[in-house]
């Protein structure tokens, strides 16, 4: 009986210790951000000449939303990217997609950001008081990816995601962190070219990721994988989402372990990113 009493006391101590020990939540995998976010999305024409996507419950609970500007590939409108732009807005971003088929200068993209910042201060605007003017990201595909790099040189832009970017813009002029996305099977903007552009970003935290099985037009599930990792990047840098940080940063780097990506590289500044 004495042994049993000691054993029960020991179990009680262990149970109490486990209950009192803080449990650290596991970081979300990249696939977490591939699912739609919590917001329904509204899409309208607006701005100087833009298609706007934003949470239908804009400003709910006093939230101020970060801004994303988008650049299209050569010769196309925002429409082929509609699902991806809705996806970003569902995660709490206000997205201004420039209605231009030549987005490489980044000027039209920046015009969209400036429009939303002005609307934040305009009484009567649906965006009045609901935009975080200090949090702006730029992304784009192909020529629009080059446009995102060009826009990213402006102090207004905090971070960029060039997807399979063209030659536009100056990588050494980037103002903030950048995620360079390439397609393993892309013959239009080959992965080796995208990695070369990434290599010029030594002055800011930069990550290169090559999407397995993707060509220049994101076939099948590769489209949502690209949207998910782009969402995670912006959620980390613009929304302070703790679930997104370890996807890219830290010793465990979940993206580095994800078999959906055929190559991942991080520069020295990215490897030094901490909470």
């Amino acid at each position: 009986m004495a042994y049993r009493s000691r054993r029960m006391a020991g179990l009680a101590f262990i149970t109490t210790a486990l209950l009192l020990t803080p449990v650290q939540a596991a970081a979300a995998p990249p696939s977490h951000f591939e699912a739609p976010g919590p917001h329904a999305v509204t899409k309208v024409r607006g701005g100087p000449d833009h298609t706007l996507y934003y949470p239908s419950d804009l400003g709910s609970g006093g939230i101020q939303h970060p801004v994303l500007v988008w650049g299209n590939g050569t010769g196309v409108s925002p429409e082929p990217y509609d699902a991806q732009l809705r996806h970003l807005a569902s995660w709490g971003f206000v997205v201004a997609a420039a209605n231009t088929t030549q987005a490489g200068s980044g000027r039209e993209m920046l015009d969209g950001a400036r429009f939303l910042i002005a609307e934040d201060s305009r009484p009567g605007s649906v965006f009045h008081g609901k935009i975080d003017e200090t949090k702006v990201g730029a992304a784009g595909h192909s020529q629009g990816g080059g446009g995102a790099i060009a826009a990213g040189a402006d102090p207004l832009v905090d971070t960029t995601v060039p997807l399979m970017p063209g030659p536009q813009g100056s990588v050494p002029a980037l103002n903030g962190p950048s995620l360079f996305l390439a397609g393993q099977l892309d013959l239009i903007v080959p992965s080796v070219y995208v990695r070369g552009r990434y290599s010029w970003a030594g002055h800011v935290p930069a990550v290169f990721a090559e999407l397995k099985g993707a060509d220049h037009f994101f076939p099948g599930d590769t489209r949502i994988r690209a949207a998910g990792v782009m969402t995670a990047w912006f959620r980390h840098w613009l929304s302070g989402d703790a679930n997104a940080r370890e996807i890219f940063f830290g010793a465990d780097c979940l993206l580095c372990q994800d078999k959906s990506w055929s190559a991942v590289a991080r520069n020295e500044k990215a490897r030094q990113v901490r909470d």
Side-chain angles (χ1 to χ4, degrees):
M1 290 295 292
Y3 167 77
R4 183 179 179 186
S5 296
R6 288 195 300 272
R7 183 171 180 270
M8 294 301 292
L11 288 172
F13 174 80
I14 292 170
T15 301
T16 302
L18 288 172
L19 290 173
L20 293 176
T21 300
V23 177
Q24 193 169 27
S31 59
H32 173 74
F33 295 97
E34 294 174 10
H39 302 278
V41 175
T42 297
K43 173 186 177 183
V44 297
R45 291 289 292 261
D49 186 11
H50 292 73
T51 302
L52 306 177
Y53 298 80
Y54 57 87
S56 300
D57 59 345
L58 198 66
S60 177
I63 293 174
Q64 290 186 308
H65 300 268
V67 169
L68 296 181
V69 293
W70 174 263
N72 312 307
T74 303
V76 297
S77 70
E79 202 57 35
Y81 307 102
D82 183 75
Q84 291 73 32
L85 300 176
R86 288 181 181 275
H87 185 86
L88 289 165
S90 79
W91 279 94
F93 300 103
V94 176
V95 182
N99 295 328
T100 177
T101 61
Q102 301 291 325
S105 71
R107 288 192 297 269
E108 294 87 353
M109 298 168 69
L110 290 169
D111 286 346
R114 294 184 182 112
F115 165 77
L116 289 168
I117 289 170
E119 288 293 285
D120 183 53
S121 301
R122 185 174 72 82
S125 169
V126 67
F127 301 109
H128 184 224
K130 299 169 184 174
I131 298 295
D132 186 342
E133 300 182 13
T134 68
K135 301 294 184 183
V136 178
H141 174 236
S142 199
Q143 184 184 153
I149 294 172
D154 192 290
L156 186 65
V157 176
D158 300 287
T159 183
T160 58
V161 179
L163 290 82
M164 305 165 177
Q168 300 84 1
S170 169
V171 171
L174 283 170
N175 185 56
S178 191
L179 170 64
F180 292 79
L181 296 186
Q184 182 188 30
L185 307 179
D186 191 348
L187 299 179
I188 297 174
V189 181
S191 178
V192 66
Y193 174 79
V194 179
R195 190 157 189 161
R197 300 215 74 187
Y198 149 81
S199 72
W200 285 93
H203 63 298
V204 294
V207 176
F208 166 83
E210 179 189 271
L211 184 51
K212 186 176 181 179
D215 62 19
H216 195 64
F217 302 103
F218 299 105
D221 290 342
T222 64
R223 186 171 293 259
I224 190 59
R225 290 198 185 99
V229 79
M230 177 167 56
T231 300
W233 182 265
F234 286 131
R235 286 288 298 180
H236 169 69
W237 288 109
L238 302 180
S239 301
D241 190 332
N243 286 318
R245 191 194 76 86
E246 289 186 33
I247 291 175
F248 306 100
F249 307 114
D252 294 331
C253 176
L254 298 179
L255 188 67
C256 305
Q257 305 170 42
D258 190 327
K259 300 305 182 185
S260 298
W261 298 83
S262 43
V264 175
R266 302 180 297 167
N267 70 4
E268 184 61 29
K269 285 190 178 293
R271 289 193 294 271
Q272 293 174 356
V273 170
R274 301 290 184 267
D275 289 328

